[in-house]
Amino acid sequence: MTAVNTGISCFLIAAIISILPLQKIKRYTYIISSIGSLGFGLFALSIIFSAPSKLYTLNISSAFDFVFYGDALSGFFLLAISVLAFAVSIYSVGYTKDMKNPGAAGVLYNFFILSMYAVVLSGNIITFLISWETMSLLSYFLVTLQRDEESARAGLIYAVMTHAGTAFIIALFLVLYTQTGSMDLAEIKLYASHIPDTLKNLIFIFSIIGFGTKAGIIPLHTWLPRAHPAAPSNISALMSGVMIKTGIYGFIRINLDILQQSPEWWGITVIVIGAVSCIIGMLYALMEYDMKRLLAYCSVENIGVIFLGIGAAMMLKSNGLYTASSIALAAALYHTLNHAVFKGLLFLGTGSVMHATHTKNMEKMGGLLKSMPYTGLFFLIGSVSICALPPFNGFVSEWLTYQSLLSGFNSVSIASKIAAPLGAAALALTGALAAACFVKAFGISFLGMPRSSHAEDVKESSASMITGMGVLALLCLVLGIFPGLTLRVISPAVFSYTGAGIMPTGAGFLHIGGSLSDLSPAAILISIIIMFITTVIFIFIAGGKRKISYGDSWDCGIKALTPRMQYTATGFTKPLRMIFRKIYLPKRDLNISYIVKPFFLSSIKYSGEITPFLEVYIYRPLTSLIRGAARRVSILQSGSLHLYLGYILATLILLLIFGGN
Amino acid sequence: MNNWIEAYFVIDFISAGLLLTAVSMNALKRIESCVKAYTLNSWLLASLIFVIALMNGETHLYAAAGITVLSKGILIPLFLGRIIRKMRVTHEVEPYINNVVSLSISAVLVAVVYTSLSDAVFIEGFLKNVLQISIAVLLIGLFIMITRRKAVTQVIGLLFMENGLFLAGFSLTSGMPTIIELGVLFDVLMGVIILGIFAVQIRRTFASADLDRLNTLKG
Amino acid sequence: MEYLQFILIIILSPLINGVIRKLKAQMQGRPGPGLFQSYFDLIRLFKKDMRISNTTSWIFGAAPYILFTSTIVAAMIVPVITTVSPFSVMGDIIAIIYIFALGRFFMALAGLDAGTAFGGEGSSREMTVAILVEPMLMLSIFTAAISAGSTNIAMLASISGPIYTPSHILALSAFIIAIIAETGRIPVDNPDTHLELTMIHEGMVLEYSGKYLALMEWAHYMKQMLLFTLAVDIFFPAGIINNTEPAALAMSFGIYLLKMFSIAFFMAIIESSRAKMRFFQLPSLLEGGFVLAFLSLLTYIMTGR
């Protein structure tokens, strides 16, 4: 408990110092926050490996008290939050140097992290809802911190979406409360088997909508690509890395932990949602040239991958395949941790780039790898990890997802047998899309020639920013090559769901008993290193030392290769825009003005955009419907004070007549 | 005063006065008269509290009576008079509906209150009438707010409502704790000041204290 | 010996490429280069000086090494002549596909590094083709993996019993289309062309010269042979042995070479008889392949064969 007390006090102290009028040292308070997250990290490890217990109870009244409860699942999420909060806090020291209102940012930052901790540690309904709402509100303030038109609009959409989601969560908890008569989550779990099936289905659907909004599944993702770019980068890292994971936590807590048993169609539904989210999310990410929007869509994709794992876990358990179900849930949790690490890293990298170039538009970047070598290297590591390429961490979790989905074939029902491999195929497609997306993201912004004056004369970020990113980049590798160690942290949470553990045989080694499939990322890395050395020696023997001369790139003899001739991000994804035009519904507009038609052109203006069909065909009709209804209701809202008072009088008199006796 | 029957009589008498001053609001044509009606109402309220204080012998009720006189009987009327002078509004009340109709409607309101609260079980003893009157005063205050055009008359309506509420509080509890009374009084004082400032501002912005102009503010 | 079977792929891969080139030339009525021409090409490239664009960063230098070593590591996992495959603990067939993706990722980055339009075009198209190929490749592998009950390649290769079932044949067709696309052969890409507007693979390596180019080319040969080897491991495992006796190994090696030559022959036929497709016609071919792979899976699930 000392660790957690230290943690809480660190965050509170950091928050208090942030309000004090100490402009010079304000940004160093983030160091205190990073110590705080270390404390929480240790605490997380301790509750993962101890029995579930009530940590702290604060009695307000008989019907209402704050209960904090820790088990392996909340411990795991606590760990994920702590890991990212640690790195982001270090990064923030340098990042917040030129921030406009560092005091507000500091206070909100610290309380935001604490509220996320509170969400995953909540032991009863009231505590959960209050923490959840606090977290949402604080993140809303963080999104609108920059106080411009874009942030305000993004904040509004975020607030509307997240509260719509919260409404469903409240409804869900009300159903649970009325059915079990208890506020306490552990007690609800005991009585959960008595809930009738129809109500369980209702709870499941509500949890998908409620927690899915926070997690950002398709089609409830619309706030993500708006809110993430609007927030400062350290905040987007936290929001995208861990805050949306609280949605995952809530979903797992309700459906996997409290309800335990689920019918097969739940799992298949979740797999379908996951598959759709990861494909559509990545397709939209590919089309973005705003780096932060790209990463935000990419979060939608990764949430989809996590939901694939969760869905597989539910489906396999309902088919009685407990070991496979464990693997699936472990894959989902593993990916949760991985995504926190590499998405955090990528957002921090984007923050550094924006800090240096003052633009989010990658069409204006280029050649940054030379001026920002460390940021570039870490961004590359993040990209490789998110594309699930070995030996980095993304690969391990996706591999586990593949394995669990493939063992879905051992299910009894045909529906499961078909759903599982199709989910795996969706994952394969996503992997390829992700690779294309991050070749574009890294290649266009960091390689080639500077595309605009923004990308010229940029300076590398400050030491603390590099350290913050370096920690995460190292974690990408460590989580990638030591899956056995990571799974030890995950398996207690998994065990409580399926009763079947996944015992890795070694730190860097995975063995799936059922299918005799092995994976050893550590061995892959070592082999790559050995082979690299061998290759270098071999080349030296075969070719000897040869002269290297430097010159311009091949320019077809024109002798004037300008940065404008490079491939652009838009050009890079043009083939996909054509191939998937049914989804993108691209629009293009070509304006040619002539001096002498048709021979002499004065200018050609090309503009193209894609149609976000979910927004056009779902959200816009919905909002116009709501607006129409609101307009009809607004007749009551005449603006006349006297009429309003008249309503009150009428109500009072009616109350007197009908309620008086 | 140890004679209970006389006490009842006095209380009934004062209550009737309270109701009468409230109803009279419907008939008054000048804003200054309205303020006077309110002043009278407040004095009557204070004396009612004073009578109850004499009966119960609780010292804090004396204090309440004193504060009521001071704030509602003196301070607020003075302040209102100042606003009226400052705004230089026409002195007519300009109601939406004419006096006869509004008088009859307030009569109906009083009737509704009397019938609906006639056999309410939660009221015991001598203060039953007072409760009915207090609710009636409250509703009349609200009714005045609805039917009057000017911002100042709105304020007066609100103040009547508040007096009604204060009375209702007394009738139910025979004297609330002093701190609450003080709080309420302070609240009313602040409310009146704020509303007064608003009224002046409205006048300045719309070149009229007519609240109908506020319609344009809705979204 | 079982530890060193991946060396076979490293050494023999230029030969297989030479065989395809020779056969293709013969079919087109040309004498064509010698069988060992690919070796000579590599040796000459290794001995050449390099010219590197000023625009490039360290990615440009690292990509050939990453591509080359990652392909070797993929080769280590694959059983070539015996299913006693000690390196298969390193990963399974899914890992191989992702190791390929690692190489491709860096190759595509290298294409963008020089800042030319050709490189960018090559990268863009390579990644686009990969997006279309990957699901089909995976689905066809899944069919095999599900029927074998494992994604371990040694297990896939040592499966006994009837494997020429309807589902396997459908999966094989999809797999062949995937191989053609992955190795950059006609009708997807033309390995012999440097015609600027049609090239995919060549576009990405356009800026390379000397030993970097040699590494890139060699890695490409190895990947091609690896995919062929995967095809025979999964779909024609007959003849591969499950022990390490020298005599049996020699026998298995002979059979393996025969299989490789057959596939090379098959590829040469396809290359000679088809015209290269327009880039935007490719999706219909590759979607067709995806449907085949999906049907194979469905067939296996429904009929169990």
Side-chain angles (χ1 to χ4, degrees):
Chain A
M1 285 308 271
T2 37
V4 66
N5 289 335
T6 321
I8 294 174
S9 27
C10 279
F11 281 112
L12 291 180
I13 290 168
I16 290 165
I17 297 178
S18 297
I19 347 176
L20 300 178
L22 306 163
Q23 293 301 336
K24 286 269 185 245
I25 62 153
K26 210 164 251 184
R27 61 198 180 97
Y28 295 103
T29 56
Y30 287 102
I31 295 174
I32 308 177
S33 314
S34 74
I35 297 169
S37 35
L38 270 187
F40 267 102
L42 288 177
F43 175 62
L45 284 176
S46 78
I47 58 176
I48 286 173
F49 294 109
S50 52
S53 61
K54 277 208 172 108
L55 303 168
Y56 181 70
T57 309
L58 180 70
N59 271 79
I60 307 288
S61 74
S62 57
F64 172 70
D65 44 8
F66 284 103
V67 176
F68 291 100
Y69 178 83
D71 62 3
L73 184 65
S74 40
F76 174 75
F77 278 86
L78 206 58
L79 185 69
I81 298 171
S82 304
V83 165
L84 188 61
F86 173 69
V88 172
S89 298
I90 297 176
Y91 177 89
S92 301
V93 175
Y95 182 76
T96 52
K97 192 178 173 192
D98 305 325
M99 211 172 223
K100 266 181 280 178
N101 36 4
V107 177
L108 290 171
Y109 177 89
N110 287 300
F111 280 111
F112 177 50
I113 294 176
L114 279 180
S115 69
M116 286 193 288
Y117 285 136
V119 167
V120 296
L121 285 176
S122 297
N124 68 4
I125 293 175
I126 293 290
T127 320
F128 186 90
L129 287 177
I130 289 179
S131 321
W132 183 265
E133 201 50 28
T134 312
M135 179 183 77
S136 301
L137 280 178
L138 288 172
S139 53
Y140 165 77
F141 288 129
L142 286 163
V143 166
T144 53
L145 199 62
Q146 281 165 345
R147 289 190 191 169
D148 49 25
E149 190 76 9
E150 187 205 349
S151 309
R153 195 169 160 65
L156 179 69
I157 288 173
Y158 173 48
V160 170
M161 290 297 287
T162 195
H163 282 94
T166 309
F168 281 94
I169 294 172
I170 293 174
L172 170 168
F173 277 125
L174 284 178
V175 174
L176 278 179
Y177 175 68
T178 49
Q179 287 302 309
T180 59
S182 171
M183 283 275 183
D184 193 275
L185 292 179
E187 277 178 39
I188 291 176
K189 184 178 171 181
L190 288 179
Y191 304 126
S193 52
H194 303 303
I195 303 174
D197 279 347
T198 30
L199 284 178
K200 276 189 183 172
N201 291 341
L202 193 70
I203 292 172
F204 170 68
I205 291 165
F206 280 3
S207 70
I208 285 188
I209 301 173
F211 293 115
T213 311
K214 183 62 83 183
I217 56 171
I218 303 271
L220 303 168
H221 67 286
T222 44
W223 64 271
L224 269 153
R226 291 189 173 84
H228 287 328
S233 290
N234 53 347
I235 302 305
S236 343
L238 280 178
M239 281 178 72
S240 187
V242 285
M243 189 196 77
I244 60 174
K245 302 300 162 40
T246 56
I248 301 279
Y249 167 79
F251 188 84
I252 294 181
R253 179 61 83 195
I254 296 295
N255 290 304
L256 273 62
D257 180 47
I258 289 181
L259 296 183
Q260 285 282 334
Q261 290 298 337
S262 57
E264 189 186 24
W265 71 269
W266 288 15
I268 293 177
T269 309
V270 177
I271 288 183
V272 170
I273 288 173
V276 170
S277 294
C278 61
I279 293 175
I280 302 285
M282 209 64 223
L283 280 174
Y284 279 120
L286 262 165
M287 288 305 133
E288 284 298 338
Y289 47 84
D290 177 327
M291 280 181 90
K292 287 183 116 183
R293 279 178 69 94
L294 182 146
L295 292 177
Y297 273 121
C298 192
S299 295
V300 175
E301 179 253 354
N302 281 285
I303 289 294
V305 174
I306 295 170
F307 268 98
L308 271 180
I310 296 175
M314 292 165 81
M315 186 188 82
L316 293 167
K317 193 183 178 194
S318 64
N319 275 300
L321 302 166
Y322 293 105
T323 318
S325 174
S326 304
I327 296 169
L329 186 56
L333 292 179
Y334 205 136
H335 202 77
T336 304
L337 181 60
N338 286 345
H339 181 242
V341 172
F342 55 61
K343 186 49 67 66
L345 172 59
L346 287 170
F347 264 115
L348 296 186
T350 307
S352 298
V353 169
M354 280 169 61
H355 204 257
T357 61
H358 306 291
T359 177
K360 287 186 281 193
N361 187 346
M362 55 175 97
E363 307 278 30
K364 293 184 176 161
M365 299 173 190
L368 295 178
L369 188 58
K370 272 176 255 174
S371 41
M372 306 176 78
Y374 293 105
T375 307
L377 174 66
F378 296 146
F379 196 91
L380 179 65
I381 290 177
S383 305
V384 172
S385 308
I386 204 168
C387 295
L389 300 175
F392 290 94
N393 57 357
F395 174 63
V396 183
S397 45
E398 289 204 7
W399 187 83
L400 284 168
T401 314
Y402 276 122
Q403 290 297 340
S404 62
L405 284 169
L406 283 182
S407 42
F409 183 74
N410 299 323
S411 316
V412 190
S413 80
I414 294 287
S416 294
K417 282 187 180 186
I418 296 177
L422 279 186
L427 194 56
L429 176 60
T430 314
L433 287 169
C437 181
F438 281 91
V439 164
K440 183 190 86 169
F442 184 80
I444 300 292
S445 39
F446 283 92
L447 302 179
M449 285 177 267
R451 286 175 166 76
S452 75
S453 54
H454 286 283
E456 286 160 7
D457 304 321
V458 295
K459 281 197 269 310
E460 179 60 284
S461 321
S462 61
S464 77
M465 288 162 83
I466 291 172
T467 317
M469 288 187 282
V471 169
L472 291 176
L474 189 68
L475 271 173
C476 280
L477 190 62
V478 170
L479 288 176
I481 58 178
F482 297 119
L485 287 183
T486 319
L487 282 182
R488 276 196 197 126
V489 179
I490 295 173
S491 30
V494 173
F495 188 79
S496 67
Y497 173 57
T498 56
I502 21 155
M503 262 296 120
T505 33
F509 183 75
L510 287 177
H511 178 75
I512 306 293
S515 67
L516 301 174
S517 305
D518 305 295
L519 179 73
S520 175
I524 291 178
L525 181 67
I526 293 167
S527 313
I528 287 180
I529 293 169
I530 293 174
M531 285 305 150
F532 174 74
I533 296 166
T534 324
T535 311
V536 172
I537 295 169
F538 169 78
I539 287 173
F540 192 74
I541 295 168
K545 196 160 173 61
R546 293 289 154 185
K547 208 176 83 198
I548 300 177
S549 61
Y550 292 91
D552 292 333
S553 299
W554 166 237
D555 50 14
C556 304
I558 298 173
K559 284 287 165 207
L561 205 57
T562 70
R564 287 179 61 86
M565 292 176 186
Q566 296 179 97
Y567 239 56
T568 59
T570 316
F572 191 89
T573 50
K574 172 91 185 182
L576 287 166
R577 218 161 24 250
M578 292 181 71
I579 292 168
F580 294 103
R581 61 181 169 277
K582 293 269 164 55
I583 295 173
Y584 288 131
L585 308 170
K587 282 184 278 205
R588 50 181 286 172
D589 199 9
L590 196 61
N591 259 325
I592 306 177
S593 49
Y594 298 96
I595 299 170
V596 178
K597 207 171 179 178
F599 303 110
F600 300 104
L601 307 174
S602 64
S603 72
I604 299 179
K605 198 172 170 191
Y606 170 84
S607 60
E609 60 172 345
I610 57 167
T611 317
F613 74 89
L614 284 170
E615 280 173 31
V616 173
Y617 295 111
I618 294 180
Y619 281 94
R620 278 187 208 161
L622 196 68
T623 36
S624 63
L625 193 75
I626 292 173
R627 274 201 188 154
R631 208 169 295 128
R632 245 156 266 146
V633 173
S634 76
I635 295 169
L636 291 174
Q637 185 98 349
S638 65
S640 159
L641 192 60
H642 303 100
L643 194 60
Y644 297 159
L645 291 166
Y647 296 151
I648 298 175
L649 182 66
T651 317
L652 277 176
I653 290 174
L654 285 177
L655 275 176
L656 273 176
I657 292 173
F658 294 107
N661 298 323
Chain B
M1 187 160 319
N2 292 320
N3 192 337
W4 290 104
I5 298 169
E6 281 177 31
Y8 283 130
F9 179 72
V10 172
I11 288 171
D12 281 351
F13 186 75
I14 298 174
S15 310
L18 277 166
L19 188 60
L20 203 66
T21 42
V23 172
S24 73
M25 280 292 293
N26 291 303
L28 295 171
K29 284 186 177 154
R30 285 168 58 87
I31 295 177
E32 285 88 345
S33 323
C34 292
V35 177
K36 275 178 194 141
Y38 172 69
T39 319
L40 191 57
N41 190 287
S42 303
W43 280 89
L44 283 171
L45 178 67
S47 53
L48 186 74
I49 298 168
F50 185 73
V51 170
I52 295 171
L54 281 177
M55 282 167 60
N56 291 4
E58 286 180 39
T59 36
H60 78 95
L61 287 181
Y62 292 109
I67 295 165
T68 308
V69 167
L70 190 69
S71 62
K72 293 183 178 171
I74 299 169
L75 274 180
I76 293 178
L78 281 178
F79 184 73
L80 285 175
R82 209 172 139 239
I83 292 175
I84 292 164
R85 275 196 302 284
K86 203 174 177 184
M87 287 169 64
R88 288 189 291 276
V89 284
T90 49
H91 298 271
E92 277 73 41
V93 171
E94 299 177 37
Y96 284 110
I97 44 180
N98 69 39
N99 291 349
V100 180
V101 177
S102 71
L103 273 173
S104 8
I105 291 179
S106 25
V108 172
L109 280 177
V110 175
V112 166
V113 172
Y114 269 64
T115 45
S116 53
L117 290 179
S118 59
D119 46 25
V121 284
F122 55 89
I123 301 154
E124 297 290 331
F126 66 91
L127 291 174
K128 179 172 150 186
N129 282 346
V130 179
L131 179 79
Q132 286 168 342
I133 285 168
S134 68
I135 301 290
V137 169
L138 195 149
L139 288 186
I140 290 168
L142 187 57
F143 181 65
I144 289 165
M145 287 182 83
I146 294 170
T147 52
R148 297 301 189 271
R149 231 183 268 266
K150 287 210 176 86
V152 179
T153 34
Q154 299 276 319
V155 177
I156 297 171
L158 183 77
L159 288 168
F160 268 99
M161 279 181 77
E162 203 279 329
N163 275 2
L165 265 179
F166 205 77
L167 198 56
F170 265 97
S171 65
L172 288 175
T173 63
S174 323
M176 291 170 281
T178 321
I179 187 73
I180 295 178
E181 281 163 17
L182 278 177
V184 170
L185 280 172
F186 187 67
D187 235 30
V188 172
L189 209 58
M190 291 313 289
V192 169
I193 291 170
I194 291 168
L195 282 171
I197 293 166
F198 266 124
V200 174
Q201 289 297 330
I202 290 167
R203 159 94 182 152
R204 209 167 277 166
T205 314
F206 294 95
S208 157
D210 190 339
L211 292 179
D212 282 352
R213 302 296 181 89
L214 294 180
N215 288 7
T216 50
L217 291 179
K218 71 164 179 163
Chain C
M1 189 61 203
E2 69 271 20
Y3 286 96
L4 295 176
Q5 44 183 338
F6 71 95
I7 306 274
L8 284 179
I9 288 182
I10 301 178
I11 294 172
L12 290 180
S13 57
L15 174 67
I16 297 298
N17 197 58
V19 170
I20 297 177
R21 255 153 69 168
K22 182 79 182 171
L23 285 169
K24 207 171 128 187
Q26 293 284 327
M27 284 177 200
Q28 292 165 350
R30 295 183 282 124
L35 282 178
F36 299 98
Q37 186 59 43
S38 301
Y39 292 101
F40 302 141
D41 289 349
L42 289 179
I43 293 167
R44 196 188 61 222
L45 282 173
F46 274 122
K47 292 198 188 275
K48 275 192 175 256
D49 290 346
M50 278 199 293
R51 187 166 175 84
I52 292 176
S53 164
N54 287 323
T55 317
T56 57
S57 60
W58 60 265
I59 295 279
F60 188 79
Y65 288 102
I66 292 175
L67 181 63
F68 189 71
T69 49
S70 66
T71 315
I72 294 179
V73 171
M76 286 164 74
I77 303 173
V78 178
V80 180
I81 50 172
T82 166
T83 57
V84 180
S85 163
F87 290 121
S88 72
V89 296
M90 256 169 30
D92 57 358
I93 191 147
I94 298 169
I96 289 185
I97 305 294
Y98 274 83
I99 292 172
F100 282 156
L102 176 72
R104 177 166 53 227
F105 186 87
F106 277 91
M107 194 160 62
L109 283 185
L112 284 167
D113 203 6
T116 63
F118 296 133
E121 185 188 43
S123 304
S124 162
R125 291 183 171 177
E126 172 84 7
M127 297 320 283
T128 308
V129 171
I131 286 168
L132 297 168
V133 171
E134 208 92 315
M136 147 172 70
L137 186 62
M138 279 297 198
L139 264 188
S140 58
I141 288 172
F142 291 161
T143 309
I146 285 172
S147 63
S150 171
T151 53
N152 188 327
I153 307 170
M155 293 281 289
L156 285 172
S158 55
I159 190 158
S160 54
I163 60 164
Y164 299 107
T165 58
S167 62
H168 264 75
I169 289 164
L170 286 168
L172 176 63
S173 331
F175 197 81
I176 287 173
I177 296 176
I179 290 182
I180 291 171
E182 285 273 321
T183 54
R185 299 212 155 264
I186 290 174
V188 175
D189 186 14
N190 189 347
D192 299 326
T193 185
H194 279 86
L195 189 63
E196 286 140 358
L197 295 178
T198 62
M199 58 195 180
I200 299 176
H201 177 79
E202 300 299 328
M204 283 187 289
V205 300
L206 196 67
E207 282 296 319
Y208 279 105
S209 55
K211 64 183 182 193
Y212 285 173
L213 184 59
L215 285 176
M216 286 278 198
E217 291 296 324
W218 200 351
H220 191 61
Y221 300 154
M222 285 193 323
K223 183 178 174 188
Q224 172 176 299
M225 188 162 169
L226 252 178
L227 284 165
F228 292 172
T229 312
L230 277 179
V232 300
D233 276 350
I234 298 172
F235 297 102
F236 309 102
I240 196 163
I241 54 165
N242 57 6
N243 52 46
T244 53
E245 289 162 32
L249 280 177
M251 175 76 180
S252 175
F253 179 61
I255 294 172
Y256 173 71
L257 271 189
L258 211 62
K259 287 182 195 164
M260 285 294 114
F261 289 146
S262 322
I263 290 187
F265 184 67
F266 182 70
M267 285 291 157
I269 291 178
I270 291 181
E271 283 228 297
S272 308
S273 58
R274 310 298 308 177
K276 186 189 170 306
M277 289 174 112
R278 274 183 58 218
F279 185 73
F280 286 107
Q281 285 174 342
L282 282 182
S284 56
L285 171 74
L286 300 175
E287 276 160 26
F290 181 80
V291 171
L292 281 178
F294 179 58
L295 282 181
S296 79
L297 192 73
L298 212 57
T299 314
Y300 187 78
I301 289 171
M302 291 307 178
T303 63
R305 297 186 73 232

